[in-house]
């Protein structure tokens, strides 16, 4: 230990701040449809015709306003996935669990969500899945509890 | 040091700054300013080479907001940087954009400053900037009355009236600016009766927490001359930082960055009498007390002179030396955008496009300041014409003509002339760009393989 | 208009709470240890410009040289600036609102020449003046942890 090192130690601390986020008029429509109707809405660019989820009020490629909504899914296909095996305080559920990129029917972008009711070893790209909605919905993306293999 | 190329502001945009915006998310707020700037400039996103995005860390608790905000800032498949330097952010992104264009790296750069302050806790965010082992426990963000205290100790009630008068002036100006957040109808008595935050700093002296965004487009001189909007030339800028363990209070031993920055910038640009040579000053005034205090530091005046000028209303829009015709930071404060709004408003004044809050005379030179962190200062000078500006430095000779020692000697005399053909060469290179964009489009389509 | 008002605007609240460990490094570590172990306030002194730094920093920001010379300062000095704060704000180190009013001050300790900040025990602005003397009040023996709070506050000496 050097002369300098003997002075070094660590002080415990934290960073704690509450935040609130506004979905805005456009984003709220998507979340409210999830909550009230258990429907998944996508939005359609008037220029390139792409259907996006999660919704956005403008197409980042064409940079035009989006106003059209279309119902998409509820079924979709697994585009990619990973199995989460470590524990972190911020993870939504206990590991191991599957996070999947899901291309819902009628959408041109993928939704990241949980995939459950399936052995992680059995998950395959291209697998057909469907959403399981939560019983107590609060206008949050977790109003879709998770996706499961389609029956 | 001099610039390789002249730089001009060719487009200015702002959202409407408000205290409560539940109707839009962050990316949508950014989009409001970007659309406004594009409209003002007459350009389209295709003309923008690079986006410089700035906000204050921890204010909204979003890590790397520039990624999400690509939706609203038009940065899709463009170069981009995120810069976050606290309160100075907006001014720093303006300087960075100036540098990026002047260097020759990009021809057109859009600087975007943003903050949706209602989504987080401003003071907590600022407190987090402090050294966690000492200052974080003790300091309270930017809420401090210590500067006001010095003034009260020196001038008594007269100082309190002056600070209140400056706040009333800001409110009067803000009412003439439809984009301002607080557009209050105030009297000096209202200010002096408002709630104490930290004596003698009161609620109405202090800047609000606003939601807003600002976008300013910077372009090379050559391009600016061809673009539809009147160019506002970026004369020069300076940024100055200091450590956080400086001497506070009493007879100041340590020089303030405001004063040092101003002296150096004036020396660089040859300004001898700022009050005469600068037409309008958009100053970052976190509180009316700091406005009162810093006016002297920036303009190299003693406190008594400043006090008398305030009393004679000389800083009003119609006054001798207009300060913050926009209403300033005490009226509008979306922090990451705040210092860029100073540049934007100074630019509007030079163009003569500030509408109801336009200073009613020709503005040849405008100054904008930024403030943040541990008393950091940024200053930018804008100019209506190129007259009196230093000619651009001749860029390193192009590959074609091998430079002879002769050429070097010539360059000193004919700087501007020699600079011009270089620009043309660069523009030619640019001409290949549309073709490249077409390729990108093709790629995007091909990219949708799945 | 009415239609707009009818629309639900979703607001989502989140608490960011991240545990941290801050390394003192040798310079801050020495400064905090001296307070913890000996109730001594030590500054370091720039070998070039001669100014003291408090809290100490490993380099002098003005001269850009490493600062290795240490001197002990008196635990008392002069108030050069102060703030009586009435607005409660959130302390990110605890996640709790601060109790108001409280007074923070810049203090020039005897023998030093840069100010440093801490709390004062007087919160009535009428009883405070720039230039007043104050003295460090340390946490009791055995309770000091090598943190900024090892000095509870500075006691204002009113004659």
């Amino acid at each position: 230990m050097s002369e300098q090192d003997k002075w070094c130690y660590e002080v415990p601390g934290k960073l704690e701040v509450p935040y609130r986020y506004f979905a805005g008029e456009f984003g709220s429509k998507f979340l409210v449809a999830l909550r009230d109707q258990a429907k998944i809405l996508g939005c359609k660019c008037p220029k390139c015709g792409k259907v996006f989820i999660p919704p956005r009020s403008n197409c980042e490629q064409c940079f035009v306003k989006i106003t059209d909504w279309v119902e998409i899914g509820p079924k979709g296909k697994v585009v990619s996935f990973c199995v989460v095996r470590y524990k972190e305080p911020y993870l939504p559920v206990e590991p191991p669990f599957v996070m999947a990129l899901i291309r819902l029917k009628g959408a041109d972008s993928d939704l990241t969500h949980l995939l459950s009711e399936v052995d992680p070893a059995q998950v395959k790209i291209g697998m057909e899945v469907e959403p399981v909605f939560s019983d107590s919905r609060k206008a949050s993306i977790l109003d879709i509890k998770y996706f499961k293999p389609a029956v | 040091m001099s610039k390789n190329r002249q730089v001009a502001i060719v487009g200015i945009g702002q959202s409407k700054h408000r205290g409560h915006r539940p109707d839009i998310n962050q990316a949508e707020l950014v989009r409001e300013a970007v659309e406004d700037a594009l409209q003002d400039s007459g350009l389209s996103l295709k003309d923008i080479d690079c986006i410089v995005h700035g906000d204050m860390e921890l204010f909204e608790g979003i890590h790397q907001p520039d990624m999400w905000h690509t939706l609203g800032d038009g940065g899709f498949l463009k170069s981009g940087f995120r810069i976050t330097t606290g309160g100075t952010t907006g001014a720093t992104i303006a300087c960075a954009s100036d540098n990026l264009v002047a260097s020759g790296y990009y021809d057109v750069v859009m600087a975007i400053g943003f903050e949706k302050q209602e989504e987080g806790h401003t003071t907590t965010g600022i407190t987090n900037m402090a050294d966690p082992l000492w200052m974080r426990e003790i300091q309270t963000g930017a809420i401090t009355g210590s500067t006001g205290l010095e003034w009260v100790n020196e001038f008594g009630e007269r100082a309190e009236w002056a600070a209140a008068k400056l706040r009333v002036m800001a409110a009067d100006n803000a009412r003439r600016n439809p984009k301002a957040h607080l557009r209050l109808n105030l009297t000096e008595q209202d200010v002096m009766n408002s709630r104490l935050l930290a004596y003698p700093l009161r609620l109405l002296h202090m800047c609000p927490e606003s939601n807003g965004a600002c976008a300013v487009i910077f372009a090379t001189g050559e391009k600016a001359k061809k673009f539809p909007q009147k160019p506002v030339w970026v004369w020069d800028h300076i940024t100055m930082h200091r450590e956080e363990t400086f001497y506070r209070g009493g007879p100041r031993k340590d020089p303030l960055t405001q004063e040092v920055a101003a002296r150096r910038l004036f020396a660089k640009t040859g300004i001898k009498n700022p009050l005469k040579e600068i037409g309008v000053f958009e100053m970052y005034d976190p509180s009316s007390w700091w406005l009162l205090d810093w006016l002297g530091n920036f303009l190299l005046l003693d406190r008594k002179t400043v006090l008398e000028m305030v009393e004679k209303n000389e800083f009003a829009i119609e006054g001798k030396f207009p300060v913050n015709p926009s209403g300033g930071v005490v009226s509008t404060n979306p922090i990451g955008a705040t210092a860029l709004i100073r540049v934007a408003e100074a630019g509007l004044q030079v163009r003569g496009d500030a509408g109801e809050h336009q200073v009613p005379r020709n503005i040849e030179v405008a100054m904008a300041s930024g403030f943040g962190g541990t008393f950091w200062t940024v200053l930018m000078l804008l100019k209506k014409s190129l007259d009196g500006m230093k000619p651009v430095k001749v860029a390193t000779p192009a590959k074609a003509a091998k430079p002879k020692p002769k050429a070097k000697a010539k360059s000193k005399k004919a700087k501007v002339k020699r600079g011009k053909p270089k620009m043309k060469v660069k523009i030619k290179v640019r001409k290949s760009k549309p073709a490249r964009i077409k390729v990108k489009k093709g790629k995007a389509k091909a990219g949708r393989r799945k | 208009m009415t239609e707009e008002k009818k629309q639900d605007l979703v607001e989502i609240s989140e608490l960011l709470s991240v545990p941290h460990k801050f390394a003192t490094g040798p310079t801050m570590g020495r400064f905090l240890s001296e307070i913890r172990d000996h109730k001594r306030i030590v500054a370091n002194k720039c070998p070039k410009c001669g100014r003291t730094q408090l809290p100490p920093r490993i380099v002098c920001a003005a001269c850009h040289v490493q600062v290795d010379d240490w001197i002990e300062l008196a635990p008392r000095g002069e108030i050069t600036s102060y703030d009586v704060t009435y607005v409660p704000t959130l302390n990110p180190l605890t996640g709790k609102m601060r109790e108001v009013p409280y007074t923070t001050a810049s203090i020039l300790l005897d023998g030093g020449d840069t100010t440093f900040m801490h709390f004062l025990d007087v919160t009535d602005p009428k009883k405070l003046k720039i230039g007043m003397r104050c003295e460090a009040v340390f946490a009791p023996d055995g309770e000091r942890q090598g943190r900024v709070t090892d000095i509870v506050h500075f006691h204002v000496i009113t004659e």
Side-chain angles (χ1 to χ4, degrees):
Chain A
M1 202 168 77
S2 80
E3 172 66 15
Q4 294 281 295
D5 290 346
K6 74 172 186 200
W7 298 110
C8 300
Y9 61 98
E10 282 173 340
V11 176
K14 74 173 168 180
L15 164 59
E16 188 165 300
V17 196
Y19 291 100
R20 53 186 189 150
Y21 300 105
F22 296 96
E25 272 173 16
F26 197 82
S28 293
K29 275 190 188 141
F30 168 79
L31 293 169
V32 168
L34 271 185
R35 181 189 68 193
D36 297 348
Q37 300 166 282
K39 273 186 182 166
I40 305 173
L41 297 183
C43 63
K44 188 170 180 169
C45 171
K47 202 166 164 199
C48 68
K50 278 185 192 164
V51 174
F52 296 110
I53 178 172
R56 57 206 64 175
S57 64
N58 68 280
C59 175
E60 83 267 30
Q61 298 180 32
C62 307
F63 214 64
V64 292
K65 265 213 157 123
I66 298 180
T67 49
D68 292 348
W69 292 89
V70 284
E71 195 179 333
I72 54 173
K75 284 188 182 172
K77 280 185 177 162
V78 172
V79 172
S80 184
F81 69 96
C82 79
V83 184
V84 181
R85 299 186 191 276
Y86 63 92
K87 205 177 157 129
E88 270 277 347
Y90 303 104
L91 293 175
V93 287
E94 285 283 306
F97 63 90
V98 181
M99 285 293 269
L101 261 185
I102 295 158
R103 176 69 58 96
L104 292 171
K105 216 178 155 196
D108 292 299
S109 63
D110 305 322
L111 179 71
T112 308
H113 218 296
L114 301 161
L115 182 54
S116 200
E117 293 190 29
V118 60
D119 177 357
Q122 302 301 315
V123 179
K124 284 197 172 63
I125 286 171
M127 190 174 177
E128 196 169 45
V129 293
E130 64 185 20
V132 173
F133 288 93
S134 160
D135 294 329
S136 60
R137 295 193 295 273
K138 294 174 273 194
S140 133
I141 193 66
L142 286 173
D143 286 357
I144 301 171
K145 215 168 157 188
Y146 51 76
F147 283 78
K148 64 169 188 178
V151 281
Chain B
M1 274 180 287
S2 62
K3 288 179 173 181
N4 286 330
R5 312 198 287 181
Q6 299 289 15
V7 180
I9 289 172
V10 296
I12 295 168
Q14 292 181 58
S15 66
K16 277 189 178 159
H17 311 298
R18 296 293 178 258
H20 188 42
R21 289 298 303 270
D23 57 315
I24 46 167
N25 67 22
Q26 295 177 16
E28 290 163 347
L29 181 63
V30 167
R31 187 187 150 93
E32 278 190 9
V34 169
E35 288 226 304
D36 197 36
L38 288 175
Q39 203 179 1
D40 177 72
S41 65
L43 304 177
S44 83
L45 266 184
K46 276 187 192 156
D47 299 306
I48 312 289
D49 302 324
C50 172
I51 305 267
V52 181
H53 178 290
D55 75 321
M56 193 105 158
E57 277 174 302
L58 280 174
F59 274 25
E60 293 88 5
I62 299 279
H63 189 53
Q64 289 193 282
D66 48 322
M67 293 177 69
W68 172 22
H69 295 177
T70 299
L71 277 173
D73 68 20
F76 184 74
L77 291 183
K78 287 189 193 299
S79 296
F81 298 89
R82 175 176 181 232
I83 292 180
T84 168
T85 59
T88 50
T89 295
T92 311
I93 57 178
C95 294
S97 303
D98 184 21
N99 290 348
L100 286 168
V101 175
S103 69
Y105 217 95
Y106 299 102
D107 284 351
V108 186
V109 174
M110 178 153 57
I112 304 168
F114 138 89
E115 215 73 69
K116 197 142 189 273
Q117 265 173 265
E118 65 176 327
E119 300 199 346
H121 278 250
T122 304
T123 296
T124 311
I126 300 176
T127 305
N128 250 298
M129 313 291 155
D131 164 10
L133 292 168
W134 196 264
M135 288 291 283
R136 197 173 293 184
E137 184 66 41
I138 299 162
Q139 67 131 288
T140 314
I143 298 170
T144 165
S146 56
T147 306
L149 202 61
E150 287 174 26
W151 278 80
V152 172
N153 284 344
E154 195 172 338
F155 298 101
E157 211 180 307
R158 199 176 158 202
E160 296 214 42
W161 271 101
K165 198 166 165 55
L166 283 173
R167 182 62 188 89
V168 171
M169 179 192 90
D172 291 346
N173 295 355
R175 285 205 311 281
R176 293 160 69 167
N177 175 7
K179 301 224 165 170
H181 167 198
L182 295 180
R183 302 165 74 215
L184 306 171
N185 208 340
L186 291 177
T187 64
E188 284 81 356
Q189 212 56 57
D190 292 336
V191 179
M192 297 201 304
N193 288 342
S194 66
R195 188 159 65 94
L196 261 183
L197 301 182
Y199 180 80
L201 177 77
R202 292 174 184 276
L203 184 67
L204 282 172
H205 290 127
M206 195 66 194
C207 55
E209 297 177 1
S210 316
N211 303 304
C214 179
V216 176
I217 305 173
F218 294 80
T220 79
E222 288 296 308
K223 283 210 164 177
K225 284 176 192 162
K226 290 175 193 152
F227 284 159
Q229 188 52 270
K230 284 167 271 183
V232 176
W233 299 99
V234 181
W235 191 1
D236 209 341
H237 70 243
I238 190 161
T239 70
M240 192 162 292
H241 296 183
R242 70 169 312 142
E243 84 286 14
E244 95 291 21
T245 54
F246 57 90
Y247 186 97
R248 248 177 111 240
R252 284 184 185 125
K253 286 183 186 171
D254 295 348
L256 284 171
T257 54
Q258 285 90 344
E259 191 184 323
V260 182
R263 281 188 193 283
R264 279 196 205 160
L265 185 65
F266 296 159
K268 271 172 84 185
T269 50
I271 288 179
K272 304 232 156 43
N273 184 346
L275 280 182
K276 276 208 175 129
E277 291 166 66
I278 297 170
V280 62
F281 181 21
E282 272 289 337
M283 194 218 280
Y284 195 118
D285 56 332
S287 82
S288 300
W289 283 110
W290 275 343
L291 178 62
L292 181 65
D293 194 48
W294 297 347
L295 274 169
N297 300 321
F298 281 126
L299 303 172
L300 317 176
L301 304 169
D302 60 44
R303 284 180 174 176
K304 213 172 148 239
T305 311
V306 171
L307 206 55
E308 282 163 6
M309 286 180 76
V310 173
E311 284 162 353
K312 284 190 231 154
N313 233 2
E314 288 184 354
F315 298 114
I317 292 183
E318 279 83 13
K320 193 170 150 194
F321 186 82
V323 172
N324 291 350
S326 64
V329 183
V330 292
S331 302
T332 306
N333 184 35
I335 294 191
T338 299
L340 189 62
I341 295 172
R342 308 280 69 74
V343 175
E345 287 287 344
L348 289 176
Q349 291 290 344
V350 171
R351 260 168 44 185
D353 289 343
E356 255 192 273
H357 63 286
Q358 175 68 41
V359 172
R361 69 173 99 108
N362 176 47
I363 300 291
E364 175 58 32
V365 177
M367 184 159 77
S369 80
F371 163 78
T374 48
F375 282 75
W376 295 357
T377 291
V378 185
L379 282 173
M380 186 172 260
L381 280 171
L382 303 180
K383 223 167 162 299
K384 185 175 257 170
S385 70
L386 283 165
D387 301 344
M389 275 169 72
K390 264 188 212 161
V392 289
K393 198 169 117 187
V394 176
T396 23
K399 336 98 211 181
K402 274 190 185 166
K404 303 264 156 63
K406 249 195 259 163
K408 260 188 196 167
K410 255 189 200 169
S411 70
K412 266 195 178 172
K413 280 174 198 160
K415 269 175 186 169
V416 180
K417 274 193 179 173
R418 283 183 59 83
K420 272 183 183 169
K422 293 272 153 48
M423 299 292 180
K424 272 180 193 156
V425 172
K426 269 180 186 133
I427 285 162
K428 266 181 198 162
V429 176
R430 282 280 149 200
K431 272 184 185 160
S432 69
K433 265 239 149 164
R436 247 192 266 157
I437 286 166
K438 269 177 206 158
V439 176
K440 270 180 202 163
K441 272 186 186 165
K443 260 190 195 168
K445 269 178 203 158
R448 305 218 298 102
R449 277 161 260 160
K450 286 155 207 166
Chain C
M1 264 329 267
T2 36
E3 215 173 298
E4 268 177 39
K5 270 186 186 163
K6 252 189 236 160
Q7 198 203 325
D8 262 341
L9 293 176
V10 176
E11 178 187 333
I12 291 168
S13 296
E14 296 228 3
L15 180 71
L16 173 75
S17 181
V18 189
H20 284 294
K21 271 188 296 188
F22 302 115
T24 61
T27 308
M28 242 352 230
R30 179 164 180 177
F31 167 68
L32 291 169
S33 300
E34 290 280 3
I35 295 175
R36 179 191 59 205
D37 301 339
H38 307 290
K39 299 202 275 188
R40 281 201 293 247
I41 300 176
V42 293
N44 62 0
K45 193 175 172 76
C46 173
K48 206 168 162 195
C49 70
R51 72 166 183 166
T52 57
Q53 299 193 104
L54 207 61
R57 297 286 182 249
I58 199 159
V59 292
C60 170
C63 308
H64 309 292
V65 293
Q66 192 162 330
V67 183
D68 293 322
D69 300 338
W70 291 80
I71 57 163
E72 186 181 342
L73 303 180
R76 69 191 72 82
E78 190 186 308
I79 299 167
T80 61
S81 174
Y82 62 87
D83 268 310
V84 181
T85 305
Y86 296 92
V87 55
T89 54
L90 198 84
N91 181 349
L93 289 166
T94 60
K96 305 231 162 30
M97 291 305 258
R98 295 175 196 263
E99 277 180 39
V100 288
Y102 61 92
T103 306
T104 57
S106 289
I107 300 156
L108 183 63
L109 293 184
D110 295 349
D113 49 25
T114 42
T115 57
F116 87 140
M117 276 185 85
H118 216 287
F119 297 105
L120 296 182
D121 64 350
V122 172
T123 56
D124 180 355
K126 287 189 198 103
K127 292 182 182 157
L128 286 169
K129 249 206 174 108
I130 287 170
M132 280 176 120
R133 304 276 303 160
C134 63
E135 188 169 40
V137 175
F138 294 93
D141 290 351
E143 289 178 27
R144 293 189 298 275
Q145 299 167 304
R147 306 175 70 153
V148 51
T149 44
D150 285 359
I151 298 175
V152 182
H153 53 239
F154 276 73
H155 168 64
V156 180
I157 304 162
T158 44
E159 304 303 295

